[in-house]
């Protein structure tokens, strides 16, 4: 793949880096990342992926932009209220970098379509705000052998980890099953400081960029937590669960399924 | 660098007199990536910041700077041998 003079200039700060160089930038340009959830995490993540020149970015989200989203979902603007998030975010990415292809996947991702969707991409980024979606993404990515970045944020705290097929634990190794709906405050009920979404979403983008360019160490087998109040990162080593129902040697989960949405399907 | 030893003939040339930092370095880096280790390239660059910084930057990348010759027209010819990958 040839790099135009415009590409050399646009990506010059990447190409200068010995660890990325022309080869790494070419790999980014050939890379395909699916961002599920065009919200607080997905907005900054997708914007940095587009800026980095990731060649193909898929956006999957079934929601429309709401005024209360704008405190943290920076891919959308006030004028976008009421519009589908995939449309609003896609336009932001295309304006940022016309050289990347943005695929719009409107509608909530379900067990019926997620395997076909993730198969089209090299890396998946979970930017959703509810446990059923997180387990759906995990199970689909494990079954499809697709690496993905998990993240979650609430109030002043965030966490993320990266699944690499066959090389470390999956999300279900950490958390066997979704918590009961009544135990879960969603982002709609619990507050979240907007800039925290930027911190964690950008860390997810970094994981995708490093995976595509083939550099550094990923958060495989490590859960990174961040507390914005104390400004402290903490790393928790997480082992593979030997009898994991989806990534273990004798799996009982053989296809993705839709869990109860009551956890935070309120008002949807 | 010995003044006696003849400089090797370049197998490739590049003109970056139309670029400014950091594109000077980016263009040189891209051109060097297209060469085999041990190949020599002659790079035409402007006096001043490019002539001061590019040799140092390319050395940091592991390449060998063989010579910097004043062309007498405000430009220099930088002779570089590509280092091992």
């Amino acid at each position: 793949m040839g790099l135009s003079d415009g590409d050399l200039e646009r990506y010059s700060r990447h190409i200068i880096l010995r660890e990325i160089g022309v080869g790494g930038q070419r790999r980014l340009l050939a890379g395909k990342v699916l961002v599920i959830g065009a919200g607080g995490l997905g907005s900054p993540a997708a914007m940095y992926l587009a800026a980095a020149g990731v060649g193909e970015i898929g956006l999957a989200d079934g929601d429309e932009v709401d005024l209360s989203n704008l405190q943290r979902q920076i891919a959308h603007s006030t004028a976008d209220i009421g519009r589908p998030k995939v449309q609003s975010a896609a336009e932001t990415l295309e304006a940022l970098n016309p050289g990347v292809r943005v695929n719009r996947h409107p509608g909530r991702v379900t067990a019926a379509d997620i395997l076909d969707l993730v198969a089209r991409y090299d890396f998946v980024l979970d930017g959703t705000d509810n446990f059923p979606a997180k387990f759906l993404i995990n199970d689909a990515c494990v079954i499809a052998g697709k690496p993905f970045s998990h993240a979650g944020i609430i109030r002043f705290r965030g966490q993320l980890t990266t699944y690499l097929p066959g090389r470390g634990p999956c999300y279900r190794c950490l958390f066997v099953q979704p918590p009961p709906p009544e135990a879960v405050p969603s982002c709609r009920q619990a507050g979240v400081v907007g800039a925290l979404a930027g911190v964690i979403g950008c860390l997810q983008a970094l994981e995708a960029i490093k995976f595509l360019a083939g550099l550094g160490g990923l958060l495989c087998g490590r859960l990174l937590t961040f507390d914005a109040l104390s400004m402290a990162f903490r790393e928790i080593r997480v082992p593979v669960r030997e009898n994991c129902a989806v990534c273990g040697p004798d799996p009982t989960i053989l296809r993705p399924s839709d869990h109860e949405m009551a956890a935070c399907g309120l008002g949807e | 660098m010995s003044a006696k030893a003849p400089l090797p003939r370049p197998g490739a040339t590049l003109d970056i007199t139309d670029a400014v930092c950091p594109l000077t370095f980016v263009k040189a880096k891209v051109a060097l990536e297209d060469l085999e280790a041990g190949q020599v390239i002659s790079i035409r660059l402007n006096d001043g910041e490019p002539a001061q910084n590019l040799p140092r930057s390319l050395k940091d990348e592991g390449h060998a700077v063989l010579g910097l010759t004043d062309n007498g027209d405000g430009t220099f010819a930088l002779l570089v041998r590509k280092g091992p990958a």
Side-chain angles (χ1 to χ4, degrees), chain B residues 2-47:
Chain B
S2 164
K4 302 285 191 297
L7 293 173
R9 292 180 63 81
T13 59
L14 174 70
D15 189 333
I16 54 169
T17 53
D18 61 344
V20 294
C21 178
L23 270 187
T24 44
F25 174 61
V26 169
K27 289 189 166 186
K29 183 167 172 165
V30 170
L32 277 155
E33 290 206 14
D34 288 338
L35 301 182
E36 303 290 330
Q39 273 192 287
V40 175
I41 184 170
S42 177
I43 303 172
R44 182 166 178 261
L45 42 78
N46 287 326
D47 195 2

Side-chain angles (χ1 to χ4, degrees), chain A residues 8-9 12-13 15-18 22-23, chain B residues 22-23 25-27 29-30 33 60-61:
Chain A
L8 290 183
E9 188 160 1
S12 58
R13 279 5 178 234
I15 294 169
I16 286 169
L17 292 170
R18 189 196 300 263
V22 177
Chain B
L23 270 187
F25 174 61
V26 169
K27 289 189 166 186
K29 183 167 172 165
V30 170
E33 290 206 14
D60 286 347
E61 289 275 303

Side-chain angles (χ1 to χ4, degrees), chain B residues 7 43 45 67-72 75-79:
Chain B
L7 293 173
I43 303 172
L45 42 78
L68 183 65
T69 313
D70 192 339
N71 291 329
T75 70
F76 282 79
L78 177 68
L79 211 57

Side-chain angles (χ1 to χ4, degrees), chain A:
Chain A
M1 189 190 309
L3 294 175
S4 68
D5 276 2
D7 286 341
L8 290 183
E9 188 160 1
R10 180 183 286 270
Y11 306 118
S12 58
R13 279 5 178 234
H14 272 169
I15 294 169
I16 286 169
L17 292 170
R18 189 196 300 263
E19 293 83 353
I20 296 181
V22 177
Q25 187 59 50
R26 285 199 175 112
R27 288 190 287 278
L28 290 176
L29 290 165
K32 301 175 184 179
V33 177
L34 174 64
V35 178
I36 304 181
L41 296 167
S43 286
M47 289 170 74
Y48 270 105
L49 294 176
V54 170
E56 199 170 324
I57 300 169
L59 294 173
D61 198 307
D63 283 349
E64 288 162 0
V65 179
D66 185 84
L67 178 59
S68 67
N69 298 152
L70 300 180
Q71 162 258 18
R72 66 198 174 284
Q73 303 185 15
I74 59 171
H76 316 297
S77 298
T78 305
D80 294 316
I81 291 168
R83 302 179 69 213
K85 284 186 182 176
V86 287
Q87 187 60 29
S88 163
E91 288 169 11
T92 299
L93 305 190
E94 287 160 351
L96 180 53
N97 188 349
V100 305
R101 182 170 154 187
V102 184
N103 303 324
R104 295 150 171 84
H105 304 292
R108 183 177 285 277
V109 174
T110 67
D113 59 17
I114 190 166
L115 285 176
D116 286 341
L117 197 54
V118 302
R120 296 169 52 183
Y121 295 90
D122 303 316
F123 191 91
V124 176
L125 201 147
D126 173 4
T128 64
D129 67 351
N130 65 85
F131 287 104
K134 293 189 180 306
F135 279 88
L136 176 67
I137 292 166
N138 178 74
D139 294 352
C141 286
V142 171
I143 289 164
K146 198 66 68 179
F148 79 98
S149 164
H150 151 85
I153 51 170
I154 195 163
R155 295 186 280 269
F156 290 90
R157 304 183 79 151
Q159 65 177 35
L160 74 159
T161 188
T162 299
Y163 168 74
L164 298 178
R167 299 196 17 211
C170 76
Y171 182 62
R172 219 176 253 282
C173 292
L174 278 72
F175 307 102
V176 176
Q177 60 189 18
E182 63 277 12
V184 182
S186 79
C187 282
R188 291 181 182 78
Q189 297 141 356
V192 61
V193 62
L196 172 67
V199 172
I200 304 296
C202 288
L203 290 174
Q204 289 189 280
L206 268 176
E207 287 287 89
I209 287 166
K210 284 160 52 199
F211 174 82
L212 293 175
L215 57 97
L218 298 168
L219 284 171
C220 179
R222 301 186 284 155
L223 182 73
L224 186 66
T225 68
F226 175 59
D227 183 334
L229 283 180
S230 59
M231 271 303 183
F233 283 95
R234 197 157 75 91
E235 183 181 312
I236 302 161
R237 294 264 164 190
V238 282
V240 170
R241 189 183 295 269
E242 277 178 27
N243 59 347
C244 177
V246 65
C247 80
D250 198 13
T252 53
I253 297 170
L254 302 172
R255 64 178 72 87
S257 63
D258 294 313
H259 292 269
E260 279 294 313
M261 287 302 299
C264 45
L266 303 172
E268 286 185 334

